[in-house]
């Protein structure tokens, strides 16, 4: 069960001219017996691939067949430029590509630029932001007979992320408890990453971790896509066509070496606080 509506922070900073996207958010719950949830995928998305999009479809199938949840919306949340990871394009390019992919792919996925266009925000705070915007600002959703319901944001991630969560010292305990205890997550199997062992070490939150198997194996990654682009190889049918066109028209990802204007290199993401620990989000 989700914990009471208490945020890690009471106020949120917003990028200039920011408006929370909710044009595809379903404001009316179809089944009043179900718990409304919103899927949130945080990551670099440099670039966004079909596997990122496929994760949402797998999650929707899993939720419909195995849970008492009802998905009322889904979001891509590209990480801030201050993540400073090799291969990370500017926030503008990554948000643009995610938007093209979302618009081309389906009628329920949205892109929230809140995280991308400001200083680094921890994943726990990003989920709090969605909670605040959907439930406090918009007032949640309602049933067909007009009853108000609170929406539960849930993290959607690959199993490589859950593996980092189970590694001592990578995530702070308070953030793990907030993410997994308050919100929960849906974890999609990634090739070469074992899920069972990782989840065993997170047994405290097992009831809030939902494991989704890949019935058709797909190991496409942004890292491999960038390698193909640097080598002059085609990436069509690995990414949405609109994203491929965007990359080709602007000559993106041609060089990830020192001095490339497309990337920032530097420290990894760190949680704030006196006992700061590195937090590694999705690697692709």
């Amino acid at each position: 069960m989700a914990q009471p509506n208490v945020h890690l922070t009471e106020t949120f900073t917003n990028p200039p001219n920011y408006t929370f996207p909710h044009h595809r958010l379903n404001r009316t719950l179809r089944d009043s017996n179900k718990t409304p949830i919103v899927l949130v995928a945080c990551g670099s998305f440099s670039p966004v691939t079909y596997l990122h999009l496929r994760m949402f479809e797998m999650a929707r199938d899993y939720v419909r067949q195995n849970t008492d949840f009802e998905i009322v919306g889904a979001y891509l949340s590209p990480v801030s430029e201050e993540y400073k990871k090799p291969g990370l394009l500017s926030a503008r390019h990554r948000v643009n590509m995610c938007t093209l992919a979302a618009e081309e792919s389906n009628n329920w996925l949205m892109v929230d630029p809140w995280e991308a266009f400001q200083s680094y925000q921890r994943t726990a705070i990003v989920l709090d932001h969605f909670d605040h915007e959907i439930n406090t600002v918009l007032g949640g959703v309602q049933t067909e007979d007009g009853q108000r319901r609170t929406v539960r944001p849930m993290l959607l991630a690959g199993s490589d992320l859950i593996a980092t969560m189970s590694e001592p010292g990578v995530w702070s305990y308070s953030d793990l408890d907030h993410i997994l205890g308050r919100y929960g997550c849906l974890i999609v199997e990634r090739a070469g990453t074992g899920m069972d062992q990782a989840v065993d070490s997170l047994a405290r939150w097992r009831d809030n971790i939902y494991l989704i198997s890949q019935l058709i194996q797909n190991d496409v990654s942004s890292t491999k896509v960038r390698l193909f682009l640097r080598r002059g190889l085609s990436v069509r049918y690995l990414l949405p066509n609109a994203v491929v066109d965007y990359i080709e028209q602007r000559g993106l990802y041609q060089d990830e070496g020192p001095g490339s204007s497309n990337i920032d290199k530097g420290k990894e993401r760190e949680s704030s606080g006196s006992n700061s620990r590195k937090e590694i989000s999705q690697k692709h």
Side-chain angles (χ1 to χ4, degrees), residues 62-183:
Y62 179 89
V63 165
R64 183 173 58 243
Q65 297 176 3
N66 300 282
T67 75
D68 291 324
F69 300 139
E70 180 177 318
I71 299 173
V72 296
Y75 290 87
L76 292 164
S77 181
V79 74
S80 166
E81 292 177 19
E82 292 191 14
Y83 185 20
K84 297 186 182 298
K85 174 184 177 182
L88 190 67
L89 285 186
S90 70
R92 177 177 61 86
H93 282 318
R94 289 180 292 112
V95 168
N96 287 345
M97 288 188 289
C98 284
T99 300
L100 289 170
E103 294 299 321
E104 179 180 304
S105 62
N106 58 43
N107 60 2
W108 63 299
L109 182 60
M110 293 166 279
V111 180
D112 183 12
W114 182 83
E115 182 182 4
F117 289 119
Q118 60 175 323
S119 61
Y120 162 65
Q121 302 291 326
R122 305 191 326 274
T123 301
I125 299 297
V126 174
L127 293 175
D128 276 350
H129 154 75
F130 279 95
D131 188 2
H132 172 76
E133 291 289 345
I134 295 172
N135 292 313
T136 302
V137 178
L138 295 178
V141 298
Q142 63 181 17
T143 62
E144 292 184 347
D145 60 3
Q147 296 180 21
R148 181 186 178 279
R149 294 291 175 82
T150 297
V151 178
R152 177 178 171 184
M154 295 189 72
L155 183 66
L156 175 63
S159 55
D160 48 349
L161 177 66
I162 204 72
T164 69
M165 286 182 168
S166 65
E167 184 180 343
V170 176
W171 293 69
S172 71
Y173 179 86
S174 61
D175 275 12
L176 283 179
D177 190 51
H178 198 73
I179 295 167
L180 301 179
R182 170 173 167 71
Y183 297 114

Side-chain angles (χ1 to χ4, degrees), residues 81-88 263-270 278:
E81 292 177 19
E82 292 191 14
Y83 185 20
K84 297 186 182 298
K85 174 184 177 182
L88 190 67
I263 68 169
D264 292 310
K265 294 177 181 281
K267 64 180 182 179
E268 292 181 316
R269 303 171 70 174
E270 293 186 356
K278 294 177 183 177

Side-chain angles (χ1 to χ4, degrees), residues 190-209:
R190 294 292 299 269
T193 304
M195 293 195 291
D196 293 339
Q197 183 177 357
V199 173
D200 285 345
S201 63
L202 301 171
R204 175 185 178 89
W205 304 285
R206 184 185 296 275
D207 290 344
N208 267 354
I209 301 174

Side-chain angles (χ1 to χ4, degrees), residues 218-278:
N218 184 342
D219 66 348
V220 173
S221 72
S222 299
T223 302
K224 293 177 181 178
V225 168
R226 294 195 302 269
L227 178 62
F228 274 37
L229 290 167
R230 290 201 308 274
R231 293 179 175 177
L233 301 176
S234 171
V235 294
R236 290 202 179 269
Y237 310 112
L238 300 178
L239 322 175
N241 282 336
V243 176
V244 176
D245 292 341
Y246 185 93
I247 291 171
E248 291 182 347
Q249 290 166 6
R250 291 159 179 80
L252 305 179
Y253 300 112
Q254 297 302 307
D255 178 20
E256 289 192 17
S260 170
S261 61
N262 285 340
I263 68 169
D264 292 310
K265 294 177 181 281
K267 64 180 182 179
E268 292 181 316
R269 303 171 70 174
E270 293 186 356
S271 300
S272 63
S274 58
N275 294 319
S276 176
R277 295 186 184 276
K278 294 177 183 177

Side-chain angles (χ1 to χ4, degrees), residues 3-61:
Q3 296 176 2
N5 188 20
V6 177
H7 296 297
L8 288 179
T9 180
E10 295 182 356
T11 59
F12 297 93
T13 59
N14 287 335
N17 304 314
Y18 170 77
T19 300
F20 179 71
H22 60 274
H23 56 292
R24 289 178 165 180
L25 188 68
N26 185 0
R27 303 295 299 280
T28 303
L29 196 62
R30 292 188 298 271
D31 187 340
S32 60
N33 294 317
K34 294 192 173 182
T35 300
I37 66 170
V38 160
L39 304 179
V40 179
C42 301
S44 300
F45 306 119
S46 188
V48 61
T49 73
Y50 271 133
L51 179 54
H52 292 130
L53 305 179
R54 178 66 184 156
M55 287 171 59
F56 287 94
E57 297 299 316
M58 288 186 283
R60 181 161 60 174
D61 286 342

